């Protein structure tokens, strides 16, 4: 094994993987640009630079498989740069296929393995772009010289080239993988001479189904029932079983010639599973030992490379922070000086107090003398008083000096505190700006997704993007990818019509999907619009009744109908496909967006199109919260979820089927008493309450609290251990007085209200029956 696996080189590896991810993104983005503009010299130059950088980096860490493939790609790009090769659709397809292979190579290295698939067919395609001659011969000689020792397991290797999964297809499969399960790709080669050769695919499917969930087959499952012989069938299975057990299940000598098992996702961590080979098939002791060695040597490196999150920041933002830190250091020194001055004042006060006490004692000692002078000598009282005052007239002077010094110190303290407040605010903004990244980072993923899916669906679709420069917190960006992918896939499959349909309707044959981002105050809005067929409310209503989501007699407004598509398991697709139809997707979108303290809504018009609108806070680290009091506790409600608040009297609360509601502008609002949910002792006989209306325009609930405190910027602290699963709680924050305040999870409370509504409906229906 290469020396690069030595954990002492982990920093070099971390830098390489971070850089490789960036270069691969640049390659893919610019290759897609060439498809629409083959003469784009800037894109060609950018691709060439990215490929050259990736080749050099992989050579440095001795990842020869990446270096060799990238070198071949670089030769093709050189031909394009010299204009002897045009970037047509075929050329772009081969280059994108090459990028996918590089991604697989990087994933294998991250997992501690070396990519060993046969890519000779791809190399031949790349060489064909160069024409016959020198480079092709050189590559062939290199391959012969390297002579990878694959012959040992050649009896297990089918000649079939397994289908290439795009990262989006792989993502879809991973999302369907159960907790603690592993995702495998099993390629089975069937014997054509077997008597029952046309049912072999079904037999293997039935056997695998006993020990896991078969998520996908290739060919499609329906085709396996078509009484046709398929020499190779791929099964994608999510299971807790190991590779040895899978191969044992698939061992049907009468109909199967070979089995190939590749592990696509690992979530288990037992020694037995971690020691299995990278491909997941049955291997000899030598290969298992090799896998174990890779696991041991890469244990430290994996922690760094696999879970690292790189943030690229403009230097001027770092410089601004440095200036603010310098000011903070100066302010700290000022506070130290004020503290020293204050301590000196206390010492001065002690001394002054001692002197004053001594003078007071002296005064009282001399008082009888003056009284005697007044009585015996007949001195005038005013004269005696004047004499006393002349003697002790400097008595308050020490206090006056102290008061002046104290006022000066307090003035310095206030000025410095204001300066510290300004610096703190600017530091907060500066750090937030460092965490802010343009949404272009996620928008750039979608041209490839739209290109691949539109081909799979045989549709003509173009993607437009607007507002790519809009910035969003990196933590939000990372959690936003999946919801956007689901929305775009939904638009492609359900929204955009085929070319023939669009032409019949008088539309352009090419459909359009628009990704748009914009700022609105402290919120960011992302819209996913398609000019497709729109959402049919009647179809939604029929499906909702069929799924028992609504009563057959219930009248649905358009908004209510649109919101039903976010229900788990809801789909209007007539046929289940690889893209959609299983009812998984938009419910995930809703839950993930609400987890980010945002909301998602949909607008649609038949024949015009559909628009998904996602609203999110700019950051999750610091949010604005409405502070409310319930009994002796203070809670924070994210201000993005607050619609309005009201002061209500007990007589305004009504009961419907023993559930409390409030009539707000002819709209019935369910009431949730926080003191009852969180079991807090409070006085429920007050003359008035406060009702905080939370949720969205389409799904509201009223939170009843004792009082409203006001709005504050709150720093979210995640809860751990037993508190992390507390229903209705999203986190905690520390208030100015040092006490802890819990943050309300509005989405969970809304789910609770929905469950209550379902229960009430079932109870009412039961009474009717």
């Amino acid at each position: 094994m290469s020396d690069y696996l030595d954990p002492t080189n982990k920093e070099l590896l971390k830098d390489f993987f971070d850089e490789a991810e960036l270069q691969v993104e640049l390659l893919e983005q610019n290759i897609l640009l060439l498809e629409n503009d083959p003469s784009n010299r800037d894109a060609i130059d950018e691709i060439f630079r990215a490929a050259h950088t990736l080749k050099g980096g992989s050579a440095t860490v001795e990842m020869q498989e990446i270096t060799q493939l990238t070198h071949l790609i670089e030769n093709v790009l050189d031909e394009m740069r010299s204009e002897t090769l045009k970037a047509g659709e075929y050329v772009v397809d081969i280059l994108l296929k090459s990028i996918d292979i590089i991604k697989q190579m990087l994933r294998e290295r991250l997992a501690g393995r070396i990519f060993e698939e046969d890519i000779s067919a791809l190399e031949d395609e790349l060489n064909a772009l160069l024409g016959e001659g020198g480079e092709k011969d050189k590559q062939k000689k290199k391959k012969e010289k390297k002579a990878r020792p694959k012959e040992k397991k050649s009896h297990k290797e089918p000649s079939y080239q397994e289908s290439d999964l795009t990262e989006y297809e792989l993502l879809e499969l991973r999302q369907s993988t159960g907790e603690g399960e592993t995702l495998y790709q099993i390629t089975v080669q069937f014997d054509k001479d077997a008597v029952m050769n046309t049912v072999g695919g079904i037999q293997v499917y039935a056997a695998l189904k006993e020990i896991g969930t078969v998520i996908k087959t290739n060919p499609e499952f329906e085709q396996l029932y078509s009484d046709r012989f398929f020499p190779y069938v791929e099964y994608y299975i999510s299971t807790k079983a190991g590779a040895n057990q899978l191969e044992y299940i698939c061992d049907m000598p009468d109909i199967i010639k070979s089995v190939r098992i590749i592990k696509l996702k690992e979530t288990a961590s037992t020694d037995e599973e971690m020691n299995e080979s990278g491909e997941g098939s049955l291997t000899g002791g030598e290969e298992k030992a090799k896998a174990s060695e890779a696991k041991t040597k890469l244990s430290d490196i994996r922690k760094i490379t696999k879970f690292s999150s790189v943030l690229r920041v403009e230097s001027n933002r770092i410089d601004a922070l440095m200036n603010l830190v310098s000011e903070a250091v100066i302010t700290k020194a000022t506070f130290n000086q004020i503290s020293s001055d204050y301590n000196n004042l206390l010492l001065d006060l002690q001394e002054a107090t001692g002197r004053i006490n001594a003078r007071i004692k002296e005064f009282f000692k001399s008082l009888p003398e003056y009284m005697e002078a007044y009585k015996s000598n007949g001195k005038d009282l005013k004269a005696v008083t004047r004499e006393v005052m002349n003697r002790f007239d400097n008595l308050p002077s020490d206090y006056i000096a102290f008061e002046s010094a104290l006022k000066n110190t307090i003035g310095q303290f206030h000025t410095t505190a204001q300066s510290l407040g300004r610096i703190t605010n600017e530091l907060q903004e500066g750090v937030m700006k460092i965490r802010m990244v343009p949404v272009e980072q996620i928008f750039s993923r979608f041209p490839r997704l739209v290109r691949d899916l539109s081909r799979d669906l045989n549709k003509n679709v173009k993607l437009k993007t607007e507002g790519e420069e809009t910035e969003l917190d990196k933590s939000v960006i990372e959690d936003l990818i999946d919801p956007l992918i689901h929305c775009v896939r939904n638009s492609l499959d359900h929204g955009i019509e085929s070319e023939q349909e669009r032409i019949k309707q008088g539309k352009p044959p090419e459909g359009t999907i628009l990704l748009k981002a914009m700022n609105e105050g402290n919120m960011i809005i992302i819209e996913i619009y398609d000019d497709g067929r729109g959402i049919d409310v009647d179809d939604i209503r029929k499906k909702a009744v069929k799924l028992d989501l609504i009563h057959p007699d219930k009248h649905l407004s358009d908004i209510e109908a649109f919101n039903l598509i976010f229900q788990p398991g809801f789909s209007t697709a007539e046929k289940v496909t690889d893209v959609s139809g299983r009812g998984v997707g938009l419910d995930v979108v809703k839950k993930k967006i609400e987890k980010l303290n945002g909301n998602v809504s949909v607008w649609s018009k038949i024949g015009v199109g559909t628009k998904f609108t996602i609203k999110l806070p700019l950051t999750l680290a610091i949010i604005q919260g409405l502070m409310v009091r319930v009994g002796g506790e203070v809670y924070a409600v994210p201000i993005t979820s607050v619609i309005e608040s009201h002061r209500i009297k007990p007589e305004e609360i009504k009961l419907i089927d023993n559930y409390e509601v409030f009539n707000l502008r002819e709209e019935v609002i369910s009431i949730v008493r926080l003191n009852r949910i969180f079991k807090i002792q409070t006085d429920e006989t007050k003359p008035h309450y406060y009702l905080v209306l939370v949720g969205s325009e389409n799904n509201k609930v009223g939170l009843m609290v004792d009082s409203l405190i006001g709005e504050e910027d709150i720093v979210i602290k995640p809860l751990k251990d037993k508190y992390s699963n507390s229903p209705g709680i999203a986190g905690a924050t520390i208030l100015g007085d040092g006490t802890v305040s819990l943050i309300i999870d509005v989405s969970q409370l809304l789910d609770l209200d929905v469950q209550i509504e379902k229960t009430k409906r079932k109870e009412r229906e039961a009474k009717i029956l």
Side-chain angles (χ1 to χ4, degrees), residues 417-663:
Q418 288 177 348
S419 176
L420 179 62
R422 175 187 60 80
I423 294 170
T424 303
N425 289 335
E426 291 183 11
L427 271 173
Q428 176 186 326
E429 292 176 7
V431 172
M432 296 309 302
K433 284 181 180 178
I434 281 184
R435 290 181 56 85
M436 302 294 274
V437 293
V439 294
E440 181 185 11
Q441 288 197 9
I442 48 176
F443 279 12
S444 62
R445 296 170 177 250
F446 287 91
R448 179 73 187 276
L449 169 64
V450 171
R451 179 185 188 273
D452 291 344
L453 281 183
S454 58
R455 284 190 170 196
D456 293 342
L457 298 170
N458 196 25
K459 293 181 178 180
N460 185 2
V461 184
K462 67 177 177 182
L463 175 70
K464 290 183 177 180
T465 56
E466 293 181 11
E468 299 97 324
E469 69 285 352
T470 306
E471 291 186 325
L472 189 59
D473 192 294
K474 182 172 174 60
S475 62
V476 180
I477 284 275
E478 291 169 347
D479 291 331
L480 189 58
I481 295 173
D482 285 0
L484 287 183
I485 286 176
H486 283 302
C487 289
V488 171
R489 289 171 69 94
N490 189 82
S491 295
L492 272 163
D493 194 27
H494 292 293
I496 303 294
E497 312 94 332
S498 65
E499 284 192 37
Q500 294 78 9
E501 280 185 79
R502 294 180 66 85
I503 291 172
K504 285 181 182 178
Q505 295 173 17
K507 292 184 175 182
E510 184 181 55
T512 300
I513 292 179
L514 173 65
L515 276 175
K516 182 178 180 180
M518 68 192 86
N519 285 108
E520 189 177 276
N522 290 326
M523 304 287 288
I524 185 173
I525 298 177
I526 296 180
E527 295 178 348
I528 304 97
Y529 169 78
D530 69 74
D531 64 346
R533 59 174 58 92
I535 299 175
D536 192 321
V537 174
D538 290 336
D539 286 348
I540 291 178
R541 186 183 180 284
K542 291 175 185 176
K543 192 61 179 269
V545 171
K546 184 178 179 181
L547 294 174
D548 196 31
L549 293 175
I550 62 171
H551 191 273
D553 297 332
K554 181 175 177 63
H555 172 73
L556 280 180
S557 66
D558 287 356
I559 297 296
E560 289 174 325
F562 295 154
N563 283 323
L564 284 174
I565 67 177
F566 295 108
Q567 292 292 322
F570 190 91
S571 175
T572 56
E574 298 179 0
K575 181 182 177 182
V576 175
T577 68
D578 290 343
V579 179
S580 63
R582 292 181 172 86
V584 177
L586 293 182
D587 65 312
V588 175
V589 172
K590 186 173 186 291
K591 288 187 179 298
K592 289 203 172 186
I593 295 301
E594 288 178 347
K595 188 178 179 182
L596 296 173
N597 292 325
N599 61 74
V600 57
S601 60
V602 61
W603 167 91
S604 184
K605 186 175 181 180
I606 292 292
V608 176
T610 302
K611 180 173 68 177
F612 291 94
T613 302
I614 296 173
K615 291 186 177 182
L616 294 165
L618 288 175
T619 177
L620 296 183
I622 300 174
I623 65 170
Q624 276 193 312
L626 175 63
M627 312 307 293
V628 299
R629 188 177 299 280
V630 181
E633 303 292 332
V634 175
Y635 291 91
V637 183
I639 204 70
T640 54
S641 301
V642 177
I643 301 173
E644 55 187 302
S645 59
H646 295 269
R647 180 174 171 173
I648 63 174
K649 297 178 181 178
E651 55 266 26
E652 295 180 89
I653 301 173
K654 307 299 180 184
L655 286 177
I656 297 180
D657 293 338
N658 292 322
Y659 293 98
E660 292 183 319
V661 297
F662 174 68
N663 192 330

Side-chain angles (χ1 to χ4, degrees), residues 371 374 378-386:
M371 293 299 294
Y374 170 68
K379 282 189 176 182
D380 182 60
L381 181 61
K382 289 183 179 181
V384 172
T385 303
R386 191 162 43 250

Side-chain angles (χ1 to χ4, degrees), residues 1-5 109 112 114 290-291 293-295 297-298:
M1 187 169 291
S2 174
D3 291 338
Y4 89 91
L5 291 177
R109 287 290 188 170
I114 297 177
K290 179 181 176 182
E293 178 189 357
K295 174 213 167 187
K297 285 192 174 185
L298 279 173

